[in-house]
């Protein structure tokens, strides 16, 4: 527990999704699958995919502009940009640097990417919280964006059915009323099971060293083992997090989970004893948008009026690493 920290305000959230829709039925043109198989196992009916030159940078930039507008801050107020991405259009420059330039955020402001896969927003919030709490920076733009569709093997029917593209963003700033919008936050990792989901960038050796064929560079996932690990870990983790925060599940208004598989979401929901109204799900329309999944679900559900503001929510996610994390947050009026 850190004492005398500067509290943090979640000032604005935004999201952006590409226009192109690919349904489960569309996927039957690529390989042997069916809408029924995909929907019953995952809860997904369709996903949005980038097209043409559109990338996670464009989606992230649009989500960030919306979050900034809602926050009431200006680009000059932003002291740092952190971007969470696991399927970026380029490894460097960082997406955060690209977005800084696109938005006209002052040129000397630090901007960097983090890789915590689908837990990325929670990791980014945790980093931002440290900087704001210490007084080192006041206002930080967080962007979570992924263009998974460009890094999937579209012949791998087990992984490619799951993912979609999208972006979410959040502006956090030092709170001026003493209220901390992050009631509790926690991040975890277990690298010993890192091979369960990976995106190799193996390249090939220098020809002067020894021959080594270039390997395909696609998202690889052991879906069954990921499922088992998460189903075993997440519900209990979320329950313990609430307990450690000194709260009861019924005191929190909404569950806004990572949208990876509806059955995993339902397992967490069941553990918390929440009704469907308290649980945000949009996986049916977007699939798993990796880092973007939680902020996209948050911003869209607020915009649609499914999540009322002036409320509290528990966010939770897991992803490659394996990483996982959770945050209990206040959602103030006006953030979306
Ligand atoms: O944020 C990222 C986190 N990732 C996840 O959360 C993934 C979690 N895992 C899952 O959601 C599930 O493991 C999947 C939905 C990905 C796969 O479901 P599963 O029940 O674990 O399927 P499986 O991979 O064990 O495959 C079972 C069968 C196999 O056939 P055989 O060998 O039993 O004859 C597969 O070939 O289903 C077959 N199969 C498919 N059939 C139709 C695999 N993918 C498909 C498909 N359509 N798309």
């Amino acid at each position: 527990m850190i004492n005398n920290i500067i509290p943090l305000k979640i000032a604005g959230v935004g999201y952006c999704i590409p226009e192109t829709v690919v349904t489960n039925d569309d996927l039957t043109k690529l390989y042997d699958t069916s809408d029924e198989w995909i929907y019953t196992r995952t809860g997904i009916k369709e996903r949005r995919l980038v097209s043409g030159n559109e990338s996670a940078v464009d989606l992230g930039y649009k989500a960030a502009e919306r979050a900034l507008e809602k926050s009431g801050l200006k680009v000059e107020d932003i002291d740092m940009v952190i971007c969470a991405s696991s399927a970026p259009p380029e490894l460097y420059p960082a997406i955060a640097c690209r977005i800084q330039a696109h938005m006209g955020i002052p040129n000397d402001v630090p901007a960097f990417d983090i890789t915590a896969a689908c837990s990325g927003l929670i990791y980014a919030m945790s980093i931002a919280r440290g900087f704001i709490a210490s007084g080192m920076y006041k206002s930080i733009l967080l962007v979570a964006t992924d263009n998974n569709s460009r890094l999937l093997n579209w012949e791998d029917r087990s992984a490619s059915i799951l993912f979609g593209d999208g972006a979410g963003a959040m502006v956090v700033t030092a709170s001026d009323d003493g209220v901390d919008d992050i009631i509790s936050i926690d991040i975890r990792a277990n690298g010993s099971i890192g091979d369960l989901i990976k995106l190799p960038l193996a390249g090939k050796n220098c020809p002067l060293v020894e021959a080594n064929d270039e390997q395909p560079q696609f998202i690889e996932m052991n879906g069954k083992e990921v499922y088992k690990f998460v189903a075993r870990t997440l519900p209990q983790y979320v329950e313990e997090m609430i307990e450690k925060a000194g709260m009861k599940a019924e005191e929190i208004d909404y569950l806004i989970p990572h949208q990876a598989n509806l059955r995993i979401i339902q397992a967490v929901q069941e553990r918390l004893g929440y009704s469907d109204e308290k649980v945000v799900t949009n996986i049916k329309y977007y699939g798993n948008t990796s880092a973007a999944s939680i902020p996209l679900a948050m911003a869209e559900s607020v915009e649609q009026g499914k999540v009322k503001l002036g409320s509290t929510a528990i966010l939770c996610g897991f992803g490659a690493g394996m990483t996982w994390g959770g945050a209990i947050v206040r959602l103030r009026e006006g953030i979306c």
Side-chain angles (χ1 to χ4, degrees):
M1 175 68 105
I2 314 166
N3 291 318
N4 303 320
I5 65 167
I6 298 171
L8 175 151
K9 172 179 163 184
I10 298 175
V13 293
Y15 71 96
C16 179
I17 37 161
E19 277 185 17
T20 307
V21 178
V22 172
T23 64
N24 291 345
D25 284 333
D26 293 332
L27 292 181
T28 63
K29 294 173 200 150
L30 292 181
Y31 36 63
D32 180 18
T33 191
S34 66
D35 175 54
E36 199 264 336
W37 194 97
I38 300 171
Y39 186 61
T40 50
R41 275 173 183 75
T42 66
I44 299 167
K45 278 273 178 193
E46 58 190 45
R47 69 284 294 141
R48 301 291 187 101
L49 306 185
V50 287
S51 56
N53 294 327
E54 189 180 38
S55 79
V57 171
D58 307 288
L59 302 177
Y61 159 65
K62 287 175 193 155
E65 284 218 311
R66 286 172 199 163
L68 189 67
E69 190 194 325
K70 285 294 166 187
S71 75
L73 299 181
K74 298 191 172 57
V75 283
E76 306 85 62
D77 298 321
I78 296 298
D79 300 317
M80 173 178 273
V81 184
I82 308 174
C83 180
S85 184
S86 45
E90 49 195 2
L91 195 55
Y92 48 83
I95 295 180
C97 295
R98 294 285 194 200
I99 288 176
Q100 175 197 28
H102 267 299
M103 291 181 72
I105 292 170
N107 280 338
D108 54 354
V109 159
F112 58 93
D113 290 358
I114 59 159
T115 305
C118 312
S119 319
L121 178 84
I122 295 170
Y123 267 67
M125 285 171 70
S126 189
I127 297 166
R129 186 187 208 209
F131 279 124
I132 289 175
S134 68
M136 198 165 168
Y137 295 102
K138 190 168 177 222
S139 300
I140 304 183
L141 169 64
L142 310 178
V143 185
T145 184
D146 273 310
N147 50 218
N148 292 297
S149 65
R150 294 231 170 85
L151 297 160
L152 285 163
N153 174 2
W154 286 102
E155 289 171 9
D156 172 3
R157 62 180 180 165
S158 149
S160 60
I161 53 156
L162 275 189
F163 295 94
D165 303 328
M170 181 184 275
V171 173
V172 292
T173 187
S175 171
D176 48 15
D177 59 8
V179 176
D180 201 330
D181 290 347
I182 297 187
I183 299 167
S184 172
I185 191 158
D186 183 74
I187 50 177
R188 306 279 173 106
N190 179 354
S192 72
I193 47 171
D195 281 344
L196 291 186
I197 317 176
K198 57 183 181 180
L199 174 54
L201 290 178
K204 59 182 179 182
N205 289 348
C206 165
L208 300 175
V209 180
E210 62 187 323
N212 181 359
D213 289 340
E214 195 158 7
Q215 302 297 313
Q217 309 187 348
F218 297 125
I219 296 169
E220 294 171 13
M221 182 180 71
N222 183 337
K224 200 159 244 15
E225 289 307 315
V226 171
Y227 186 91
K228 280 202 255 175
F229 170 74
V230 178
R232 211 169 46 234
T233 311
L234 200 66
Q236 189 175 339
Y237 169 71
V238 172
E239 191 177 53
E240 284 172 6
M241 217 197 129
I242 296 172
E243 258 173 48
K244 276 193 198 153
M247 298 179 80
K248 293 194 166 58
E250 55 269 28
E251 292 175 288
I252 298 170
D253 299 308
Y254 301 102
L255 167 67
I256 308 180
H258 170 42
Q259 311 283 313
N261 183 310
L262 192 60
R263 289 186 296 163
I264 294 173
I265 296 174
Q266 285 164 344
V268 177
Q269 171 177 3
E270 211 166 285
R271 184 67 75 101
L272 299 181
Y274 283 6
S275 62
D276 289 349
E277 291 66 43
K278 288 183 72 140
V279 182
V280 174
T281 60
N282 61 9
I283 187 169
K284 187 171 177 184
Y285 305 106
Y286 304 130
N288 178 349
T289 55
S290 296
S293 156
I294 295 174
L296 166 57
M298 181 196 287
E300 189 196 47
S301 58
V302 172
E303 188 184 78
Q304 293 176 342
K306 290 180 189 160
V307 162
K308 307 268 177 272
L309 294 177
S311 58
T312 53
I314 181 154
L315 321 179
C316 65
F318 62 91
M322 295 291 293
T323 59
W324 63 104
I328 303 172
V329 296
R330 279 181 238 280
L331 303 173
R332 298 185 189 222
E333 296 292 343
I335 61 164
C336 185

